[in-house]
PDB file of all heavy atoms in Angstrom:
ATOM      1  N   PHE W   1     -81.595 -69.051 307.839  1.00  0.00           N
ATOM      2  CA  PHE W   1     -80.639 -68.046 307.096  1.00  0.00           C
ATOM      3  C   PHE W   1     -81.320 -66.909 306.397  1.00  0.00           C
ATOM      4  O   PHE W   1     -80.888 -66.392 305.538  1.00  0.00           O
ATOM      5  CB  PHE W   1     -79.802 -68.840 306.139  1.00  0.00           C
ATOM      6  CG  PHE W   1     -78.746 -69.839 306.697  1.00  0.00           C
ATOM      7  CD1 PHE W   1     -79.297 -71.122 307.014  1.00  0.00           C
ATOM      8  CD2 PHE W   1     -77.487 -69.579 306.990  1.00  0.00           C
ATOM      9  CE1 PHE W   1     -78.422 -72.079 307.613  1.00  0.00           C
ATOM     10  CE2 PHE W   1     -76.700 -70.523 307.597  1.00  0.00           C
ATOM     11  CZ  PHE W   1     -77.054 -71.747 307.923  1.00  0.00           C
ATOM     12  N   ARG W   2     -82.535 -66.485 306.979  1.00  0.00           N
ATOM     13  CA  ARG W   2     -83.246 -65.567 306.505  1.00  0.00           C
ATOM     14  C   ARG W   2     -82.400 -64.234 306.489  1.00  0.00           C
ATOM     15  O   ARG W   2     -81.884 -63.809 307.357  1.00  0.00           O
ATOM     16  CB  ARG W   2     -84.669 -65.319 307.074  1.00  0.00           C
ATOM     17  CG  ARG W   2     -85.446 -64.182 306.523  1.00  0.00           C
ATOM     18  CD  ARG W   2     -86.684 -63.890 307.477  1.00  0.00           C
ATOM     19  NE  ARG W   2     -87.543 -64.919 307.507  1.00  0.00           N
ATOM     20  CZ  ARG W   2     -87.952 -65.593 308.655  1.00  0.00           C
ATOM     21  NH1 ARG W   2     -87.369 -65.269 309.816  1.00  0.00           N
ATOM     22  NH2 ARG W   2     -88.834 -66.610 308.594  1.00  0.00           N
ATOM     23  N   GLY W   3     -82.464 -63.472 305.321  1.00  0.00           N
ATOM     24  CA  GLY W   3     -81.765 -62.144 305.216  1.00  0.00           C
ATOM     25  C   GLY W   3     -80.299 -62.184 305.143  1.00  0.00           C
ATOM     26  O   GLY W   3     -79.566 -61.165 305.350  1.00  0.00           O
ATOM     27  N   CYS W   4     -79.673 -63.328 304.829  1.00  0.00           N
ATOM     28  CA  CYS W   4     -78.270 -63.405 304.671  1.00  0.00           C
ATOM     29  C   CYS W   4     -78.059 -63.018 303.276  1.00  0.00           C
ATOM     30  O   CYS W   4     -77.809 -63.860 302.380  1.00  0.00           O
ATOM     31  CB  CYS W   4     -77.733 -64.876 304.998  1.00  0.00           C
ATOM     32  SG  CYS W   4     -77.851 -65.384 306.675  1.00  0.00           S
ATOM     33  N   ALA W   5     -77.832 -61.660 303.031  1.00  0.00           N
ATOM     34  CA  ALA W   5     -77.794 -61.089 301.815  1.00  0.00           C
ATOM     35  C   ALA W   5     -76.648 -61.445 300.855  1.00  0.00           C
ATOM     36  O   ALA W   5     -76.758 -61.212 299.622  1.00  0.00           O
ATOM     37  CB  ALA W   5     -77.994 -59.615 301.940  1.00  0.00           C
ATOM     38  N   ASN W   6     -75.520 -62.019 301.392  1.00  0.00           N
ATOM     39  CA  ASN W   6     -74.449 -62.260 300.704  1.00  0.00           C
ATOM     40  C   ASN W   6     -74.006 -63.637 300.314  1.00  0.00           C
ATOM     41  O   ASN W   6     -73.025 -63.971 299.658  1.00  0.00           O
ATOM     42  CB  ASN W   6     -73.130 -61.546 301.223  1.00  0.00           C
ATOM     43  CG  ASN W   6     -73.174 -60.002 301.046  1.00  0.00           C
ATOM     44  OD1 ASN W   6     -73.072 -59.582 299.890  1.00  0.00           O
ATOM     45  ND2 ASN W   6     -73.031 -59.295 302.144  1.00  0.00           N
ATOM     46  N   ILE W   7     -74.807 -64.551 300.627  1.00  0.00           N
ATOM     47  CA  ILE W   7     -74.746 -65.987 300.394  1.00  0.00           C
ATOM     48  C   ILE W   7     -75.039 -66.167 298.827  1.00  0.00           C
ATOM     49  O   ILE W   7     -76.123 -65.767 298.363  1.00  0.00           O
ATOM     50  CB  ILE W   7     -75.589 -66.839 301.134  1.00  0.00           C
ATOM     51  CG1 ILE W   7     -75.186 -66.862 302.678  1.00  0.00           C
ATOM     52  CG2 ILE W   7     -75.580 -68.333 300.595  1.00  0.00           C
ATOM     53  CD1 ILE W   7     -76.021 -67.697 303.534  1.00  0.00           C
ATOM     54  N   SER W   8     -74.220 -66.694 298.055  1.00  0.00           N
ATOM     55  CA  SER W   8     -74.422 -66.682 296.629  1.00  0.00           C
ATOM     56  C   SER W   8     -74.675 -68.167 296.129  1.00  0.00           C
ATOM     57  O   SER W   8     -75.363 -68.282 295.101  1.00  0.00           O
ATOM     58  CB  SER W   8     -73.131 -66.153 295.851  1.00  0.00           C
ATOM     59  OG  SER W   8     -72.090 -66.943 296.159  1.00  0.00           O
ATOM     60  N   SER W   9     -74.220 -69.147 296.846  1.00  0.00           N
ATOM     61  CA  SER W   9     -74.544 -70.496 296.445  1.00  0.00           C
ATOM     62  C   SER W   9     -74.561 -71.408 297.677  1.00  0.00           C
ATOM     63  O   SER W   9     -73.895 -71.105 298.653  1.00  0.00           O
ATOM     64  CB  SER W   9     -73.496 -71.017 295.415  1.00  0.00           C
ATOM     65  OG  SER W   9     -72.268 -71.025 296.000  1.00  0.00           O
ATOM     66  N   ILE W  10     -75.349 -72.385 297.503  1.00  0.00           N
ATOM     67  CA  ILE W  10     -75.486 -73.446 298.597  1.00  0.00           C
ATOM     68  C   ILE W  10     -75.540 -74.909 297.974  1.00  0.00           C
ATOM     69  O   ILE W  10     -76.287 -75.131 297.018  1.00  0.00           O
ATOM     70  CB  ILE W  10     -76.779 -73.240 299.337  1.00  0.00           C
ATOM     71  CG1 ILE W  10     -76.900 -71.744 299.855  1.00  0.00           C
ATOM     72  CG2 ILE W  10     -76.821 -74.124 300.575  1.00  0.00           C
ATOM     73  CD1 ILE W  10     -78.240 -71.373 300.441  1.00  0.00           C
ATOM     74  N   ILE W  11     -74.840 -75.824 298.725  1.00  0.00           N
ATOM     75  CA  ILE W  11     -75.026 -77.194 298.343  1.00  0.00           C
ATOM     76  C   ILE W  11     -75.580 -77.933 299.483  1.00  0.00           C
ATOM     77  O   ILE W  11     -75.045 -77.851 300.694  1.00  0.00           O
ATOM     78  CB  ILE W  11     -73.518 -77.788 298.073  1.00  0.00           C
ATOM     79  CG1 ILE W  11     -72.962 -77.195 296.777  1.00  0.00           C
ATOM     80  CG2 ILE W  11     -73.720 -79.282 297.770  1.00  0.00           C
ATOM     81  CD1 ILE W  11     -71.619 -77.581 296.447  1.00  0.00           C
ATOM     82  N   PHE W  12     -76.710 -78.507 299.385  1.00  0.00           N
ATOM     83  CA  PHE W  12     -77.379 -79.287 300.304  1.00  0.00           C
ATOM     84  C   PHE W  12     -76.965 -80.739 300.246  1.00  0.00           C
ATOM     85  O   PHE W  12     -77.297 -81.388 299.272  1.00  0.00           O
ATOM     86  CB  PHE W  12     -78.929 -79.177 300.390  1.00  0.00           C
ATOM     87  CG  PHE W  12     -79.194 -77.771 300.661  1.00  0.00           C
ATOM     88  CD1 PHE W  12     -79.723 -76.968 299.714  1.00  0.00           C
ATOM     89  CD2 PHE W  12     -79.322 -77.315 301.874  1.00  0.00           C
ATOM     90  CE1 PHE W  12     -80.055 -75.628 299.861  1.00  0.00           C
ATOM     91  CE2 PHE W  12     -79.748 -76.007 302.225  1.00  0.00           C
ATOM     92  CZ  PHE W  12     -80.110 -75.181 301.139  1.00  0.00           C
ATOM     93  N   PRO W  13     -76.250 -81.358 301.307  1.00  0.00           N
ATOM     94  CA  PRO W  13     -75.823 -82.738 301.160  1.00  0.00           C
ATOM     95  C   PRO W  13     -76.951 -83.641 301.114  1.00  0.00           C
ATOM     96  O   PRO W  13     -78.116 -83.348 301.329  1.00  0.00           O
ATOM     97  CB  PRO W  13     -75.140 -82.987 302.577  1.00  0.00           C
ATOM     98  CG  PRO W  13     -74.718 -81.669 302.949  1.00  0.00           C
ATOM     99  CD  PRO W  13     -75.754 -80.736 302.508  1.00  0.00           C
ATOM    100  N   GLU W  14     -76.675 -84.976 300.833  1.00  0.00           N
ATOM    101  CA  GLU W  14     -77.718 -86.054 300.382  1.00  0.00           C
ATOM    102  C   GLU W  14     -78.695 -86.193 301.439  1.00  0.00           C
ATOM    103  O   GLU W  14     -79.899 -86.465 301.228  1.00  0.00           O
ATOM    104  CB  GLU W  14     -76.939 -87.346 300.148  1.00  0.00           C
ATOM    105  CG  GLU W  14     -77.840 -88.391 299.625  1.00  0.00           C
ATOM    106  CD  GLU W  14     -77.039 -89.603 299.244  1.00  0.00           C
ATOM    107  OE1 GLU W  14     -75.853 -89.760 299.368  1.00  0.00           O
ATOM    108  OE2 GLU W  14     -77.740 -90.584 298.964  1.00  0.00           O
ATOM    109  N   TYR W  15     -78.350 -86.131 302.821  1.00  0.00           N
ATOM    110  CA  TYR W  15     -79.218 -86.546 303.831  1.00  0.00           C
ATOM    111  C   TYR W  15     -80.003 -85.495 304.498  1.00  0.00           C
ATOM    112  O   TYR W  15     -80.656 -85.762 305.585  1.00  0.00           O
ATOM    113  CB  TYR W  15     -78.370 -87.455 304.890  1.00  0.00           C
ATOM    114  CG  TYR W  15     -77.668 -88.644 304.355  1.00  0.00           C
ATOM    115  CD1 TYR W  15     -76.243 -88.599 304.150  1.00  0.00           C
ATOM    116  CD2 TYR W  15     -78.449 -89.693 303.908  1.00  0.00           C
ATOM    117  CE1 TYR W  15     -75.645 -89.706 303.629  1.00  0.00           C
ATOM    118  CE2 TYR W  15     -77.868 -90.797 303.361  1.00  0.00           C
ATOM    119  CZ  TYR W  15     -76.463 -90.751 303.146  1.00  0.00           C
ATOM    120  OH  TYR W  15     -75.804 -91.797 302.620  1.00  0.00           O
ATOM    121  N   VAL W  16     -80.084 -84.319 303.910  1.00  0.00           N
ATOM    122  CA  VAL W  16     -80.859 -83.295 304.506  1.00  0.00           C
ATOM    123  C   VAL W  16     -82.323 -83.779 304.234  1.00  0.00           C
ATOM    124  O   VAL W  16     -82.570 -84.035 303.125  1.00  0.00           O
ATOM    125  CB  VAL W  16     -80.545 -81.905 303.704  1.00  0.00           C
ATOM    126  CG1 VAL W  16     -81.603 -80.962 304.231  1.00  0.00           C
ATOM    127  CG2 VAL W  16     -79.148 -81.423 304.141  1.00  0.00           C
ATOM    128  N   THR W  17     -83.078 -83.614 305.272  1.00  0.00           N
ATOM    129  CA  THR W  17     -84.515 -84.059 305.108  1.00  0.00           C
ATOM    130  C   THR W  17     -85.444 -82.918 304.959  1.00  0.00           C
ATOM    131  O   THR W  17     -86.638 -83.081 304.395  1.00  0.00           O
ATOM    132  CB  THR W  17     -84.919 -85.007 306.133  1.00  0.00           C
ATOM    133  OG1 THR W  17     -84.779 -84.318 307.393  1.00  0.00           O
ATOM    134  CG2 THR W  17     -84.074 -86.342 306.237  1.00  0.00           C
ATOM    135  N   ASN W  18     -85.311 -81.925 305.698  1.00  0.00           N
ATOM    136  CA  ASN W  18     -86.225 -80.731 305.757  1.00  0.00           C
ATOM    137  C   ASN W  18     -85.529 -79.391 305.783  1.00  0.00           C
ATOM    138  O   ASN W  18     -84.527 -79.200 306.474  1.00  0.00           O
ATOM    139  CB  ASN W  18     -87.078 -80.978 306.976  1.00  0.00           C
ATOM    140  CG  ASN W  18     -88.207 -79.998 307.052  1.00  0.00           C
ATOM    141  OD1 ASN W  18     -88.191 -78.835 307.504  1.00  0.00           O
ATOM    142  ND2 ASN W  18     -89.425 -80.465 306.553  1.00  0.00           N
ATOM    143  N   ILE W  19     -86.010 -78.584 304.838  1.00  0.00           N
ATOM    144  CA  ILE W  19     -85.614 -77.020 305.013  1.00  0.00           C
ATOM    145  C   ILE W  19     -86.753 -76.235 305.309  1.00  0.00           C
ATOM    146  O   ILE W  19     -87.802 -76.195 304.536  1.00  0.00           O
ATOM    147  CB  ILE W  19     -84.885 -76.692 303.597  1.00  0.00           C
ATOM    148  CG1 ILE W  19     -83.738 -77.588 303.299  1.00  0.00           C
ATOM    149  CG2 ILE W  19     -84.552 -75.313 303.554  1.00  0.00           C
ATOM    150  CD1 ILE W  19     -83.085 -77.500 301.970  1.00  0.00           C
ATOM    151  N   GLY W  20     -86.765 -75.640 306.403  1.00  0.00           N
ATOM    152  CA  GLY W  20     -88.007 -74.941 306.948  1.00  0.00           C
ATOM    153  C   GLY W  20     -88.441 -73.763 306.294  1.00  0.00           C
ATOM    154  O   GLY W  20     -87.852 -73.261 305.275  1.00  0.00           O
ATOM    155  N   TRP W  21     -89.593 -73.230 306.917  1.00  0.00           N
ATOM    156  CA  TRP W  21     -90.354 -72.170 306.374  1.00  0.00           C
ATOM    157  C   TRP W  21     -89.395 -70.962 306.316  1.00  0.00           C
ATOM    158  O   TRP W  21     -88.880 -70.586 307.393  1.00  0.00           O
ATOM    159  CB  TRP W  21     -91.342 -71.904 307.364  1.00  0.00           C
ATOM    160  CG  TRP W  21     -92.574 -70.989 306.930  1.00  0.00           C
ATOM    161  CD1 TRP W  21     -93.803 -71.320 306.440  1.00  0.00           C
ATOM    162  CD2 TRP W  21     -92.594 -69.601 307.088  1.00  0.00           C
ATOM    163  NE1 TRP W  21     -94.482 -70.162 306.252  1.00  0.00           N
ATOM    164  CE2 TRP W  21     -93.744 -69.003 306.612  1.00  0.00           C
ATOM    165  CE3 TRP W  21     -91.627 -68.599 307.550  1.00  0.00           C
ATOM    166  CZ2 TRP W  21     -94.076 -67.717 306.517  1.00  0.00           C
ATOM    167  CZ3 TRP W  21     -91.893 -67.370 307.604  1.00  0.00           C
ATOM    168  CH2 TRP W  21     -93.095 -66.861 307.108  1.00  0.00           C
ATOM    169  N   GLY W  22     -89.351 -70.401 305.228  1.00  0.00           N
ATOM    170  CA  GLY W  22     -88.560 -69.085 305.023  1.00  0.00           C
ATOM    171  C   GLY W  22     -87.138 -69.246 305.527  1.00  0.00           C
ATOM    172  O   GLY W  22     -86.407 -68.292 305.726  1.00  0.00           O
ATOM    173  N   ALA W  23     -86.562 -70.523 305.374  1.00  0.00           N
ATOM    174  CA  ALA W  23     -85.179 -70.740 305.736  1.00  0.00           C
ATOM    175  C   ALA W  23     -84.159 -69.804 305.111  1.00  0.00           C
ATOM    176  O   ALA W  23     -83.122 -69.344 305.690  1.00  0.00           O
ATOM    177  CB  ALA W  23     -84.808 -72.297 305.606  1.00  0.00           C
ATOM    178  N   PHE W  24     -84.366 -69.634 303.852  1.00  0.00           N
ATOM    179  CA  PHE W  24     -83.383 -68.765 302.999  1.00  0.00           C
ATOM    180  C   PHE W  24     -84.196 -67.648 302.368  1.00  0.00           C
ATOM    181  O   PHE W  24     -83.793 -67.119 301.312  1.00  0.00           O
ATOM    182  CB  PHE W  24     -82.598 -69.587 301.997  1.00  0.00           C
ATOM    183  CG  PHE W  24     -81.657 -70.661 302.615  1.00  0.00           C
ATOM    184  CD1 PHE W  24     -82.255 -71.840 303.051  1.00  0.00           C
ATOM    185  CD2 PHE W  24     -80.459 -70.431 302.861  1.00  0.00           C
ATOM    186  CE1 PHE W  24     -81.452 -72.883 303.585  1.00  0.00           C
ATOM    187  CE2 PHE W  24     -79.559 -71.299 303.373  1.00  0.00           C
ATOM    188  CZ  PHE W  24     -80.104 -72.483 303.723  1.00  0.00           C
ATOM    189  N   GLU W  25     -85.120 -67.246 302.926  1.00  0.00           N
ATOM    190  CA  GLU W  25     -85.920 -66.007 302.402  1.00  0.00           C
ATOM    191  C   GLU W  25     -85.073 -64.756 302.406  1.00  0.00           C
ATOM    192  O   GLU W  25     -84.305 -64.593 303.343  1.00  0.00           O
ATOM    193  CB  GLU W  25     -87.177 -65.863 303.253  1.00  0.00           C
ATOM    194  CG  GLU W  25     -88.169 -64.765 302.890  1.00  0.00           C
ATOM    195  CD  GLU W  25     -89.274 -64.651 303.845  1.00  0.00           C
ATOM    196  OE1 GLU W  25     -89.367 -65.404 304.796  1.00  0.00           O
ATOM    197  OE2 GLU W  25     -90.090 -63.810 303.428  1.00  0.00           O
ATOM    198  N   SER W  26     -85.210 -63.984 301.427  1.00  0.00           N
ATOM    199  CA  SER W  26     -84.512 -62.739 301.213  1.00  0.00           C
ATOM    200  C   SER W  26     -83.076 -62.886 301.244  1.00  0.00           C
ATOM    201  O   SER W  26     -82.262 -62.024 301.816  1.00  0.00           O
ATOM    202  CB  SER W  26     -85.050 -61.804 302.280  1.00  0.00           C
ATOM    203  OG  SER W  26     -86.461 -61.608 302.205  1.00  0.00           O
ATOM    204  N   CYS W  27     -82.587 -63.902 300.616  1.00  0.00           N
ATOM    205  CA  CYS W  27     -81.117 -63.972 300.398  1.00  0.00           C
ATOM    206  C   CYS W  27     -80.822 -63.446 299.127  1.00  0.00           C
ATOM    207  O   CYS W  27     -80.903 -64.037 298.090  1.00  0.00           O
ATOM    208  CB  CYS W  27     -80.664 -65.501 300.492  1.00  0.00           C
ATOM    209  SG  CYS W  27     -80.678 -66.106 302.235  1.00  0.00           S
ATOM    210  N   ASP W  28     -80.520 -62.038 299.128  1.00  0.00           N
ATOM    211  CA  ASP W  28     -80.582 -61.306 297.780  1.00  0.00           C
ATOM    212  C   ASP W  28     -79.589 -61.733 296.741  1.00  0.00           C
ATOM    213  O   ASP W  28     -79.741 -61.438 295.581  1.00  0.00           O
ATOM    214  CB  ASP W  28     -80.277 -59.823 298.129  1.00  0.00           C
ATOM    215  CG  ASP W  28     -81.409 -59.255 299.074  1.00  0.00           C
ATOM    216  OD1 ASP W  28     -82.560 -59.689 299.065  1.00  0.00           O
ATOM    217  OD2 ASP W  28     -81.240 -58.243 299.690  1.00  0.00           O
ATOM    218  N   SER W  29     -78.452 -62.409 297.223  1.00  0.00           N
ATOM    219  CA  SER W  29     -77.391 -62.755 296.281  1.00  0.00           C
ATOM    220  C   SER W  29     -77.448 -64.251 295.754  1.00  0.00           C
ATOM    221  O   SER W  29     -76.616 -64.603 295.002  1.00  0.00           O
ATOM    222  CB  SER W  29     -76.037 -62.383 296.846  1.00  0.00           C
ATOM    223  OG  SER W  29     -75.909 -61.099 297.128  1.00  0.00           O
ATOM    224  N   LEU W  30     -78.322 -64.951 296.469  1.00  0.00           N
ATOM    225  CA  LEU W  30     -78.433 -66.400 296.077  1.00  0.00           C
ATOM    226  C   LEU W  30     -78.687 -66.626 294.613  1.00  0.00           C
ATOM    227  O   LEU W  30     -79.787 -66.364 294.173  1.00  0.00           O
ATOM    228  CB  LEU W  30     -79.421 -67.075 297.024  1.00  0.00           C
ATOM    229  CG  LEU W  30     -79.455 -68.499 297.012  1.00  0.00           C
ATOM    230  CD1 LEU W  30     -78.163 -69.196 297.214  1.00  0.00           C
ATOM    231  CD2 LEU W  30     -80.550 -69.092 297.763  1.00  0.00           C
ATOM    232  N   SER W  31     -77.806 -67.207 293.921  1.00  0.00           N
ATOM    233  CA  SER W  31     -77.989 -67.549 292.490  1.00  0.00           C
ATOM    234  C   SER W  31     -77.959 -69.107 292.179  1.00  0.00           C
ATOM    235  O   SER W  31     -78.634 -69.446 291.110  1.00  0.00           O
ATOM    236  CB  SER W  31     -76.819 -66.842 291.729  1.00  0.00           C
ATOM    237  OG  SER W  31     -75.588 -67.376 292.018  1.00  0.00           O
ATOM    238  N   THR W  32     -77.302 -69.818 292.964  1.00  0.00           N
ATOM    239  CA  THR W  32     -77.283 -71.337 292.652  1.00  0.00           C
ATOM    240  C   THR W  32     -77.569 -72.131 293.841  1.00  0.00           C
ATOM    241  O   THR W  32     -77.013 -71.856 294.947  1.00  0.00           O
ATOM    242  CB  THR W  32     -75.808 -71.643 292.125  1.00  0.00           C
ATOM    243  OG1 THR W  32     -75.566 -70.947 291.010  1.00  0.00           O
ATOM    244  CG2 THR W  32     -75.736 -73.145 291.818  1.00  0.00           C
ATOM    245  N   ILE W  33     -78.395 -73.170 293.695  1.00  0.00           N
ATOM    246  CA  ILE W  33     -78.929 -74.163 294.773  1.00  0.00           C
ATOM    247  C   ILE W  33     -78.623 -75.509 294.166  1.00  0.00           C
ATOM    248  O   ILE W  33     -79.063 -75.799 293.032  1.00  0.00           O
ATOM    249  CB  ILE W  33     -80.211 -73.948 295.173  1.00  0.00           C
ATOM    250  CG1 ILE W  33     -80.467 -72.457 295.642  1.00  0.00           C
ATOM    251  CG2 ILE W  33     -80.602 -74.951 296.308  1.00  0.00           C
ATOM    252  CD1 ILE W  33     -81.955 -72.184 295.844  1.00  0.00           C
ATOM    253  N   ILE W  34     -77.887 -76.402 294.978  1.00  0.00           N
ATOM    254  CA  ILE W  34     -77.723 -77.662 294.554  1.00  0.00           C
ATOM    255  C   ILE W  34     -78.368 -78.645 295.683  1.00  0.00           C
ATOM    256  O   ILE W  34     -77.816 -78.686 296.800  1.00  0.00           O
ATOM    257  CB  ILE W  34     -76.244 -77.995 294.334  1.00  0.00           C
ATOM    258  CG1 ILE W  34     -75.605 -77.163 293.311  1.00  0.00           C
ATOM    259  CG2 ILE W  34     -76.117 -79.553 294.002  1.00  0.00           C
ATOM    260  CD1 ILE W  34     -74.161 -77.391 292.971  1.00  0.00           C
ATOM    261  N   PHE W  35     -79.226 -79.520 295.355  1.00  0.00           N
ATOM    262  CA  PHE W  35     -79.836 -80.481 296.214  1.00  0.00           C
ATOM    263  C   PHE W  35     -79.258 -81.895 295.797  1.00  0.00           C
ATOM    264  O   PHE W  35     -79.590 -82.381 294.854  1.00  0.00           O
ATOM    265  CB  PHE W  35     -81.371 -80.542 296.093  1.00  0.00           C
ATOM    266  CG  PHE W  35     -82.037 -79.253 296.513  1.00  0.00           C
ATOM    267  CD1 PHE W  35     -82.534 -78.496 295.417  1.00  0.00           C
ATOM    268  CD2 PHE W  35     -82.183 -78.891 297.771  1.00  0.00           C
ATOM    269  CE1 PHE W  35     -83.275 -77.301 295.831  1.00  0.00           C
ATOM    270  CE2 PHE W  35     -82.779 -77.622 298.131  1.00  0.00           C
ATOM    271  CZ  PHE W  35     -83.283 -77.024 297.106  1.00  0.00           C
ATOM    272  N   MET W  36     -78.384 -82.380 296.766  1.00  0.00           N
ATOM    273  CA  MET W  36     -77.857 -83.705 296.363  1.00  0.00           C
ATOM    274  C   MET W  36     -78.810 -84.839 296.614  1.00  0.00           C
ATOM    275  O   MET W  36     -78.862 -85.911 296.065  1.00  0.00           O
ATOM    276  CB  MET W  36     -76.583 -83.934 297.199  1.00  0.00           C
ATOM    277  CG  MET W  36     -75.401 -82.908 297.000  1.00  0.00           C
ATOM    278  SD  MET W  36     -75.054 -82.735 295.267  1.00  0.00           S
ATOM    279  CE  MET W  36     -74.551 -84.347 294.729  1.00  0.00           C
TER     280      MET W  36
END
């Protein structure tokens, strides 16, 4: 999701095991992240 400039918040469900290199790099509007 690199460069997705308008994503403001993300909830990662409980069973996510890996979030890769630069996966959300340069998401300019991202303000809130929740890791379940």
Side-chain angles (χ1 to χ4, degrees):
F1 292 87
R2 181 190 290 120
C4 292
N6 279 303
I7 294 178
S8 60
S9 63
I10 307 171
I11 299 174
F12 295 100
E14 183 179 358
Y15 299 110
V16 174
T17 59
N18 188 275
I19 298 174
W21 192 98
F24 293 86
E25 182 180 4
S26 300
C27 288
D28 294 345
S29 301
L30 185 59
S31 61
T32 300
I33 304 170
I34 299 176
F35 299 106
M36 300 308 300

